């Protein structure tokens, strides 16, 4: 529960954005799309762990 | 002390989300989701302390644990429904957000059904 996850996601986002631009300039649009999807999936995995932890906490807290 | 941490987490998440928004809107949304989750995780111990006070008040005043439990369950459902619908609104999907809100309302109605039935029975007994 530390703030480094926010920086990690921002770093992946910026990295994918830069890679996107580089690949588009190099004329490989489909690979740019691929890297965006790859970055998206990686970040989604992290986020889903945090969301499931949030929902577990809420469930135990409010006895849902 | 905690409120400053909450403020700082909120501001950094907003700034980072904005910096990534125009190239990759998905990442901006994810950063805002994570910011929301972190802030809630920080205030969670305070909420559980408040819950405990609720239960103590319930014991003192004789309100059964069932009613207090229903109130807490409704608060939990309302919180998760609001969390999900705000994220949908952030990403521009207001139609989906209203469906999530509708689902939350229905769940709250179902959860509070026993209390409604108890009240109706009470009124029925009072009438001659």
């Amino acid at each position: 529960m530390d703030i480094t996850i926010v920086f990690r996601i921002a770093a992946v986002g910026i990295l994918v954005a830069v890679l996107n631009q580089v690949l588009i300039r190099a004329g490989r649009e489909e690979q740019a799309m691929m890297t965006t999807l790859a970055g998206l999936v990686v970040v989604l995995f992290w986020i889903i762990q945090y969301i499931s932890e949030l929902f577990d906490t809420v469930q135990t807290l409010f006895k849902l | 002390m905690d409120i400053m941490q909450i403020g700082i987490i909120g501001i950094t998440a907003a700034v980072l989300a904005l910096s990534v928004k125009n190239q990759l809107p998905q990442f901006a949304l994810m950063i805002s989701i994570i910011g929301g989750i972190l802030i809630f995780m920080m205030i969670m111990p305070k909420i559980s302390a408040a819950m405990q006070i609720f239960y103590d008040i319930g014991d003192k005043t004789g309100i059964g644990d069932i009613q207090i439990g229903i109130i807490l369950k409704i608060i939990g459902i309302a919180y998760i429904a609001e969390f999900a619908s705000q994220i949908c609104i952030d990403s521009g999907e207001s139609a989906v957000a209203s469906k999530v809100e509708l689902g939350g309302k229905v769940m709250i109605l179902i959860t509070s059904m026993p209390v409604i039935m108890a009240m109706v029975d009470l009124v029925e007994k009072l009438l001659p």
Side-chain angles (χ1 to χ4, degrees):
Chain A
M1 279 311 118
D2 48 9
I3 195 162
T4 53
I5 180 69
V6 178
F7 300 131
R8 231 183 290 154
I9 291 179
V12 169
I14 290 166
L15 187 69
V16 166
V18 168
L19 268 174
N20 231 354
Q21 294 303 328
V22 165
L23 284 173
I24 286 172
R25 289 293 174 274
R28 291 185 177 70
E29 275 78 13
E30 57 280 17
Q31 268 135 18
M33 181 64 174
M34 284 304 168
T35 49
T36 313
L37 285 181
L40 210 61
V41 166
V42 165
V43 173
L44 260 177
F45 267 126
W46 296 340
I47 288 223
I48 281 169
Q49 285 163 5
Y50 273 79
I51 288 181
S52 72
E53 194 176 331
L54 172 78
F55 283 166
D56 289 347
T57 322
V58 169
Q59 207 159 7
T60 52
L61 189 66
F62 294 107
K63 296 173 185 61
L64 282 176
Chain B
M1 182 42 208
D2 274 346
I3 189 63
M4 293 175 214
Q5 282 171 346
I6 289 172
I8 285 169
I9 289 180
I11 289 168
T12 44
V15 167
L16 288 175
L18 206 58
S19 64
V20 187
K21 203 173 191 65
N22 39 20
Q23 281 97 2
L24 289 166
Q26 306 94 327
F27 283 88
L29 181 67
M30 287 201 219
I31 290 175
S32 69
I33 292 174
I34 275 290
I37 292 176
L38 280 183
I39 288 176
F40 180 77
M41 285 302 184
M42 283 185 59
I43 57 176
M44 204 270 297
K46 309 287 192 297
I47 293 177
S48 61
M51 291 305 152
Q52 204 46 47
I53 295 169
F54 258 118
Y55 274 112
D56 297 348
I57 292 173
D59 295 344
K60 284 201 180 62
T61 56
I63 303 170
D65 273 358
I66 303 160
Q67 278 73 14
I68 300 277
I70 285 179
I71 293 173
L72 296 188
K73 203 174 279 190
I74 287 175
I75 293 174
I77 291 174
Y79 170 70
I80 290 188
E82 190 266 341
F83 178 80
S85 74
Q86 281 302 328
I87 290 172
C88 293
I89 289 173
D90 270 1
S91 64
E93 304 294 332
S94 51
V96 176
S98 65
K99 295 299 169 292
V100 172
E101 290 278 343
L102 176 68
K105 288 183 187 118
V106 168
M107 293 298 294
I108 288 175
L109 180 68
I110 297 297
T111 315
S112 60
M113 199 50 78
V115 179
I116 295 171
M117 290 315 295
M119 195 182 65
V120 169
D121 294 345
L122 190 67
V123 169
E124 206 177 340
K125 266 194 228 104
L126 290 181
L127 294 179

